Amino acid sequence: MANAMKKADVVIVGFGWTGAIMAKELTEAGLQVVALERGPMRDTYPDGSYPQVIDELTYSIRKKLFQDLSRETVTIRHGLDDVALPNRQLGAFLPGDGVGGAGLHWSGVHFRVDPVELRLRSHYEERYGKGFIPDGMTIQDFGVSYEELEPYFDFAEKVFGTSGQAWTVKGETVGQGSGGNPFAPDRSDHFPLPSQKNTYSAQLFQQAAAAVGYHPYNLPSANTSGPYTNPYGVQMGPCNFCGFCSGYVCYMYSKASPNLNILPALRQAPNFELRPNSHVLRVNLDSSGSRATGVTYVDAQGREVEQPADIVILGAFQFHNVRLMLLSGIGKPYDPKTGDGVVGRNFAYQNMATIKAYFDQDVHTNPFIGAGGNGVAVDDFNADNFDHGPHGFVGGSPFWVNQAGTRPIGGISNPPGTPAWGSAWKRATAENYTHHLSMDAHGAHQSYRDNYLDLDPTYKDAYGQPLLRMTFDWKDNDIRMNQFMVGKVRRIAEAMNPKALAILGKQPGDRFNTQSYQTTHLNGGAIMGSDPKTSAVNRYLQSWDVHNVFVPGASAFPQGLGYNPTGLVAALTYWAARAIREQYLKNPGPLVQA
Amino acid sequence: MNPFTATALALTLAGPALAAQPPAPDEGADPALIVRGDYLARAGDCVACHTAKGGKPFAGGLPMETPIGTLYSTNITPDKTGIGEYRFEDFDKAVRHGIAKGGGTLYPAMPYPSYARVSDEDMRALYAYFMHGVEPVAQENRDSDIPWPLSMRWPLAFWRWTFAPKVEAFVPAPGQDPVVARGAYLVEGLGHCGACHTPRAFTMQEKSLDAGDGDAFLSGSAPLEGWIAKNLRGDHTDGLGSWSEAQLVAFLKTGRSERSAVFGGMSDVVVHSMQYLRDDDLLAIARYLKSLPARNPQDTPHAYDRQVADALWKGDDSRPGAALYLDNCAACHRTDGQGYARVFPALAGNPVVQTEDPSSLISLVLKGGTLPATHQAPSTFTMPAFGWRLSDQQVAEVVSFIRGSWGNRGAAVSARDVERLRDDDSAHTSGDDIGQVTDHSGG
């Protein structure tokens, strides 16, 4: 028998970016909000205390901030006929754990979205014809436009303290020659902080990209270019390019996180409560199955606790949102054979390629400095900024040098052909470390009929509940896009006149490898859209089936973006929160009629 | 260690014969008067001393160590175990005169020498608040642990007769700016700033109780628990000479200003008292403090010296303490000692690092410090502790480096100075210090 807590107006599952944003918005609306975070309390102090946090072994190798797979993991298989096995060691992706979630250990690349990607299927059909999109590719429109989201992108950047250079503000060009991106959509305001300074590696990329005719710009970064106070009165310190961003707690108070940018303001709100070490098992529904009554969780002492609430926000990591919906019976599970059902549908990822360039001893790239969101990029091949017609694939990719910190264990990189150990390896490492740089093609990834999520029939977590099963593999479209992008990045790389290149891209026949880090940008499974037959949540991230359940996060993306997802995740969450505040509270019920 | 330099602890005697007294007459629960009393109680920071850690507000029980034993603050809630049976006259006797109901003299940790100048109207408002705006808490007062014969109270009466001023209405000096006069009323009266910031004589009384009574007033105290309450006079080196009025207001309201951050005992004063004051009162306090002349007649403004910053910029860390500064401090406070506005305090010209007694800076380096959250500035920046990784000699070197760089005029400190300020917490390396995985959730 579960202990029942006092009823709250809102219960939030997970305290990362989406949980924190929802908590702030809904406490501002006067609601009593309880946030449940399965992991421990974390904050800049003591978790990011200097110099203890500058410890690659503890954080990157032993994965201090990431999900504890001994309690819960996912099973993975390549195809419908395979048997999925539990992922027992994190590799390809790194979901967070604890207060702040992935928002505490992210890098800080803070993009908006290319407007085309919000209406990807419509755009491709209009420009290239319906036949251009291959069979089995299930990309679709988000059901919300860039213009609608613009105020929320703007506000999120102000909350995050994002550094960057606008191209146009209210139609007026302001970013020419100063690091703006000519492919970026119009903005209502400047970034709250100017761009960070560029590393030498980024400057080399900038010169080379311009030399081959592309349009380099400064990456928008949620690492501060100076001290900052956000609209909540919360302060940030200045980034000092220490290079310990992704996987770490920022000790300089300069990488935006829910802990740094929102939690201090929430602590001043008497109608907010955060309960760490509270692992939610399921959303409870009433007898009709159309209304949530709250959630049941396991507390730090292992007791089952029921938290009743009028509104349930699923703000966990992408695949945990999907799993909770499946475990709770919210929405119809997706069946890849018939194409029916929505929960688990359109699971998509990122399509990465990396090129490393090695230089002579007179080119000093000093890769030990870095900032997670910092760098120079080009968008000439992102989204639909080029004619896909002759190339026959869907999707685009920004390219960049994002010198995020090249640490002593994971950051060693030598030219192809270098022995992997011994004195020759040591000599090469000493010769190359401070004279190399790394470039990425951060490719969009499309959704397909048979890349999906469901509950595993065999394996269970520490609480006896089925694990989530991930059925995923690379498709022909992905490989061909990846190879095309590598070719374009290679032009930039060669324009730098390196002594050697290492190319890490996909080859025909490559399968998804769980051991090789791609990104933690997992998308879909509880996607948003205009049609309840093909989406799990409506344009306000409200469940079509259980109207008092909202599901913000990248789980709502119908396919993967070229850009990093956090900026869109944050904007969509503010957008959904506004709909709850201005529409749902006045008239609780479906905000969109099916 | 001098107990009376602590944030004043109000220690009233438990009256021996309360039962015989008639119940307190109701003063009338005029809501406006209660609200005003609440505000004045904030200005007086009564809650700081009359609330135990984790205890109910104003129920007393906060321990205070003195050389003669531990004292406990008293219950001042309107319960019969507190001051529920106090008439206004009893309340006034205690607050302004230092005489408890029943006739005993209060330990002068209760700052009645300062409260002596609180106006009658404000006393009425405070009384209304404590009788009607505070939740009664049944909690018996705790006797002090002071052994006989030191526990005898009667000698305190002689102290009171000798050192406590007459209770009389506050009268502004002729021609005084009314804003400054309001500041004087708050600082010298309810704010009892001198309880910590004015040096005490051998006989424990504050050497001066107001601006007109010599230059010892608010000129800084000896250290208590590793912190000193700094000079608030116009001196540039260790006082408020370099602070603008606006910086002072921001500091009191939010615990931080462009170049400074609150630490030590003043953190609680900002959190429990100052942040609640109206802007006009904060401005009055700031303007009044800025009207106090420097104590040192030879005082001159800080003159920034580029030498150290230039050397560090060129990679020259040969000066003693310079390499330690680069490794431990410079990321936030910068090689030029200027810090970052409102986030990481400047060290160049900062009076806190140039005090004659270096205890505060040494303690900060050893133990670190957390900037408290305030309503207007909710961020809590933490300077980590360095005591676990730096030896006494290293702390002495880096503290001396800070005190003597960028034009600063603080004297060097010795390893012995550091050793005296170490306590158990900063003497050992803990699991956290070396990056062990520790659950900090604490339930």
Side-chain angles (χ1 to χ4, degrees):
Chain A
M1 185 63 194
N3 306 296
M5 303 294 281
K6 188 166 165 277
K7 186 177 173 183
D9 295 321
V10 182
V11 63
I12 296 175
V13 183
F15 195 82
W17 277 121
T18 62
I21 290 169
M22 277 291 183
K24 185 73 181 74
E25 286 281 311
L26 299 180
T27 51
E28 280 178 15
L31 301 177
Q32 198 73 36
V33 176
V34 172
L36 303 172
E37 165 55 47
R38 68 177 173 179
M41 183 60 211
R42 297 192 200 281
D43 212 339
T44 305
Y45 185 83
D47 305 277
S49 201
Y50 177 86
Q52 296 94 322
V53 73
I54 307 300
D55 179 351
E56 189 180 7
L57 188 63
T58 295
Y59 286 83
S60 293
I61 308 301
R62 295 180 180 156
K63 302 180 168 65
K64 183 172 177 181
L65 300 181
F66 304 136
Q67 183 177 330
D68 176 4
L69 299 190
S70 73
R71 306 205 61 78
E72 183 193 334
T73 183
V74 292
T75 66
I76 305 178
R77 61 178 182 168
H78 282 127
L80 298 181
D81 299 328
D82 298 329
V83 174
L85 292 172
N87 183 34
R88 297 183 191 272
Q89 192 168 26
L90 289 172
F93 46 82
L94 303 167
D97 189 37
V99 169
L104 187 61
H105 74 66
W106 73 315
S107 299
V109 178
H110 188 191
F111 277 112
R112 294 188 169 192
V113 69
D114 190 290
V116 160
E117 289 190 304
L118 291 178
R119 51 188 307 277
L120 196 65
R121 176 166 286 272
S122 298
H123 176 87
Y124 268 80
E125 287 181 356
E126 285 158 18
R127 183 169 178 183
Y128 302 111
K130 287 199 174 187
F132 190 84
I133 299 171
D135 284 346
M137 185 183 282
T138 52
I139 59 173
Q140 63 190 53
D141 299 355
F142 279 66
V144 64
S145 71
Y146 174 78
E147 288 70 26
E148 287 174 302
L149 292 180
E150 202 286 332
Y152 305 98
F153 281 119
D154 178 64
F155 187 69
E157 286 166 357
K158 285 171 177 155
V159 170
F160 284 46
T162 305
S163 307
Q165 172 60 53
W167 178 257
T168 61
V169 174
K170 293 182 180 143
E172 189 191 336
T173 304
V174 296
Q176 204 154 18
S178 56
N181 174 13
F183 296 101
D186 193 33
R187 307 165 51 91
S188 59
D189 201 355
H190 293 269
F191 284 92
L193 288 172
S195 298
Q196 291 186 282
K197 292 197 168 72
N198 286 321
T199 58
Y200 184 57
S201 60
Q203 292 173 33
L204 289 176
F205 181 87
Q206 186 173 26
Q207 290 154 15
V212 297
Y214 303 154
H215 300 83
Y217 65 91
N218 295 331
L219 276 181
S221 169
N223 312 147
T224 50
S225 57
Y228 179 69
T229 304
N230 83 5
Y232 301 144
V234 168
Q235 296 172 257
M236 301 177 78
C239 172
N240 69 346
F241 286 77
C242 81
F244 286 79
C245 311
S246 185
Y248 300 80
V249 183
C250 173
Y251 66 83
M252 284 296 284
Y253 298 86
S254 57
K255 178 181 77 175
S257 68
N259 318 56
L260 175 62
N261 297 58
I262 300 179
L263 189 55
L266 278 170
R267 286 199 176 106
Q268 302 289 319
N271 52 337
F272 172 72
E273 187 191 347
L274 171 60
R275 288 185 210 143
N277 302 303
S278 302
H279 181 100
V280 174
L281 298 175
R282 65 188 158 272
V283 180
N284 300 315
L285 305 181
D286 69 5
S287 55
S288 72
S290 62
R291 198 183 150 78
T293 57
V295 302
T296 297
Y297 66 95
V298 177
D299 72 7
Q301 284 75 44
R303 297 172 298 206
E304 272 199 26
V305 181
E306 188 190 337
Q307 176 60 61
D310 287 330
I311 298 175
V312 176
I313 307 287
L314 297 184
F317 186 70
Q318 175 262 347
F319 56 62
H320 297 303
N321 277 351
V322 177
R323 179 166 179 254
L324 275 170
M325 291 180 80
L326 291 168
L327 289 172
S328 311
I330 299 171
K332 188 176 176 188
Y334 173 69
D335 180 345
K337 296 205 166 79
T338 62
D340 290 342
V342 289
V343 181
R345 186 173 187 275
N346 279 30
F347 171 51
Y349 199 6
Q350 195 90 61
N351 189 0
M352 292 289 287
T354 296
I355 293 186
K356 293 176 189 286
Y358 305 86
F359 298 94
D360 289 328
Q361 298 298 301
D362 59 339
V363 177
H364 298 272
T365 56
N366 292 346
F368 45 84
I369 66 166
N374 177 254
V376 168
V378 297
D379 266 6
D380 296 74
F381 297 93
N382 189 28
D384 195 36
N385 296 335
F386 63 105
D387 184 2
H388 281 75
H391 309 299
F393 63 81
V394 173
S397 175
F399 311 148
W400 57 55
V401 160
N402 163 224
Q403 188 169 307
T406 316
R407 293 177 284 269
I409 302 173
I412 304 302
S413 172
N414 289 314
T418 305
W421 56 280
S423 58
W425 177 85
K426 288 180 187 169
R427 195 165 49 246
T429 298
E431 273 173 17
N432 287 296
Y433 177 72
T434 54
H435 309 288
H436 84 287
L437 61 80
S438 185
M439 286 156 278
D440 300 310
H442 189 264
H445 184 252
Q446 311 313 321
S447 42
Y448 302 91
R449 181 164 170 155
D450 54 355
N451 281 344
Y452 77 108
L453 303 170
D454 67 352
L455 293 177
D456 190 274
T458 307
Y459 294 97
K460 293 185 164 50
D461 68 9
Y463 309 97
Q465 301 205 104
L467 296 183
L468 190 75
R469 179 170 65 176
M470 195 178 267
T471 303
F472 184 86
D473 209 351
W474 303 119
K475 309 291 180 188
D476 176 59
N477 183 86
D478 308 333
I479 307 286
R480 285 191 295 111
M481 184 187 101
N482 195 278
Q483 293 192 315
F484 175 87
M485 297 302 170
V486 165
K488 299 300 178 190
V489 182
R490 188 176 185 137
R491 286 189 64 203
I492 304 175
E494 283 168 350
M496 297 180 191
N497 294 317
K499 67 174 188 189
L501 291 177
I503 295 171
L504 307 155
K506 294 186 174 67
Q507 302 300 324
D510 276 2
R511 315 294 302 272
F512 172 52
N513 176 359
T514 61
Q515 286 308 297
S516 163
Y517 187 70
Q518 189 77 197
T519 66
T520 304
H521 308 154
L522 303 174
N523 312 286
I527 68 174
M528 62 191 295
S530 314
D531 182 351
K533 288 198 181 60
T534 55
S535 57
V537 296
N538 64 27
R539 69 200 302 260
Y540 301 111
L541 309 182
Q542 179 186 37
S543 163
W544 288 109
D545 302 276
V546 183
H547 67 74
N548 62 339
V549 171
F550 290 79
V551 193
S555 50
F557 294 7
Q559 55 271 334
L561 311 178
Y563 287 155
N564 306 51
T566 303
L568 181 57
V569 165
L572 280 172
T573 307
Y574 276 112
W575 153 263
R578 188 51 50 128
I580 295 172
R581 291 176 70 167
E582 293 180 355
Q583 299 176 55
Y584 186 80
L585 292 179
K586 286 176 193 142
N587 187 16
L591 296 173
V592 178
Q593 291 306 319
Chain B
M1 190 175 292
N2 180 341
F4 298 114
T5 52
T7 303
L9 290 182
L11 299 151
T12 62
L13 271 174
L18 289 177
Q21 299 290 333
D26 195 280
E27 286 287 324
D30 173 4
L33 200 61
I34 295 170
V35 168
R36 196 164 136 230
D38 184 0
Y39 180 80
L40 293 165
R42 287 289 184 189
D45 203 4
C46 310
V47 73
C49 299
H50 285 280
T51 307
K53 202 173 176 193
K56 295 258 173 60
F58 302 113
L62 185 77
M64 170 185 173
E65 282 168 30
T66 81
I68 55 171
T70 301
L71 314 176
Y72 298 89
S73 65
T74 56
N75 184 343
I76 55 167
T77 71
D79 184 79
K80 69 176 168 48
T81 57
I83 60 170
E85 290 169 345
Y86 274 45
R87 295 165 304 160
F88 174 74
E89 290 70 24
D90 302 324
F91 180 75
D92 183 38
K93 272 267 186 215
V95 174
R96 291 199 292 189
H97 300 259
I99 302 168
K101 188 176 162 87
T105 293
L106 305 188
Y107 279 102
M110 167 73 175
Y112 58 85
S114 297
Y115 293 166
R117 63 201 63 207
V118 176
S119 70
D120 290 346
E121 302 77 50
D122 284 353
M123 285 304 300
R124 293 270 168 198
L126 281 164
Y127 182 70
Y129 170 66
F130 278 105
M131 289 300 138
H132 304 289
V134 171
E135 194 183 331
V137 178
Q139 182 174 305
E140 294 291 345
N141 287 322
R142 189 166 165 182
D143 288 339
S144 78
D145 302 338
I146 298 171
W148 189 87
L150 295 170
S151 59
M152 289 188 295
R153 295 286 186 132
W154 58 266
L156 288 170
F158 291 102
W159 188 96
R160 173 165 54 80
W161 294 332
T162 311
F163 298 120
K166 234 172 86 186
V167 174
E168 55 191 4
F170 172 80
V171 182
Q176 195 174 24
D177 173 353
V179 175
V180 174
R182 172 69 179 167
Y185 175 73
L186 288 167
V187 169
E188 296 171 3
L190 269 179
H192 65 280
C193 308
C196 293
H197 288 277
T198 298
R200 302 221 177 212
F202 175 69
T203 38
M204 301 298 175
Q205 82 279 16
E206 292 165 38
K207 285 181 176 170
S208 165
L209 288 169
D210 59 61
D213 182 21
D215 61 6
F217 186 59
L218 301 181
S219 66
S221 75
L224 180 83
E225 293 173 357
W227 310 107
I228 61 161
K230 69 187 285 293
N231 178 1
L232 303 182
R233 300 182 68 87
D235 302 79
H236 286 85
T237 306
D238 64 347
L240 296 178
S242 61
W243 288 43
S244 71
E245 200 172 271
Q247 285 173 340
L248 202 41
V249 169
F251 178 84
L252 296 173
K253 195 181 182 72
T254 66
R256 61 208 80 185
S257 70
E258 289 299 303
R259 292 173 66 80
S260 298
V262 72
F263 62 90
M266 190 66 193
S267 292
D268 284 345
V269 180
V270 167
V271 168
H272 297 302
S273 173
M274 288 296 135
Q275 68 165 332
Y276 290 90
L277 296 201
R278 294 188 308 263
D279 285 354
D280 60 331
D281 275 345
L282 291 176
L283 182 72
I285 290 170
R287 191 164 297 173
Y288 166 74
L289 290 175
K290 289 294 290 178
S291 77
L292 301 175
R295 190 179 197 194
N296 176 3
Q298 270 84 52
D299 177 69
T300 52
H302 177 253
Y304 188 80
D305 180 348
R306 291 208 51 83
Q307 213 181 305
V308 165
D310 288 345
L312 293 179
W313 185 250
K314 289 179 196 141
D316 173 5
D317 61 1
S318 57
R319 190 179 164 126
L324 287 164
Y325 182 82
L326 281 179
D327 290 345
N328 296 288
C329 320
C332 296
H333 298 288
R334 294 172 39 169
T335 51
D336 62 7
Q338 299 290 5
Y340 289 94
R342 282 192 84 226
V343 178
F344 303 130
L347 302 178
N350 191 328
V352 165
V353 309
Q354 302 181 73
T355 48
E356 191 181 341
D357 184 311
S359 297
S360 289
L361 183 58
I362 294 171
S363 292
L364 266 175
V365 172
L366 287 175
K367 301 168 193 167
T370 294
L371 185 60
T374 54
H375 301 139
Q376 303 281 316
S379 292
T380 55
F381 292 105
T382 296
M383 168 165 154
F386 290 91
W388 64 277
R389 67 188 300 255
L390 299 183
S391 68
D392 292 344
Q393 182 58 34
Q394 288 173 314
V395 173
E397 281 178 20
V398 79
V399 165
S400 299
F401 177 84
I402 292 165
R403 283 167 63 83
S405 293
W406 315 293
N408 285 349
R409 292 169 288 185
V413 307
S414 68
R416 182 88 187 83
D417 296 328
V418 179
E419 190 191 351
R420 279 189 297 110
L421 287 162
R422 270 196 196 269
D423 57 28
D424 290 346
D425 284 347
S426 59
H428 305 288
T429 302
S430 76
D432 285 349
D433 298 330
I434 55 171
Q436 273 178 11
V437 178
T438 308
D439 184 356
H440 289 289
S441 54

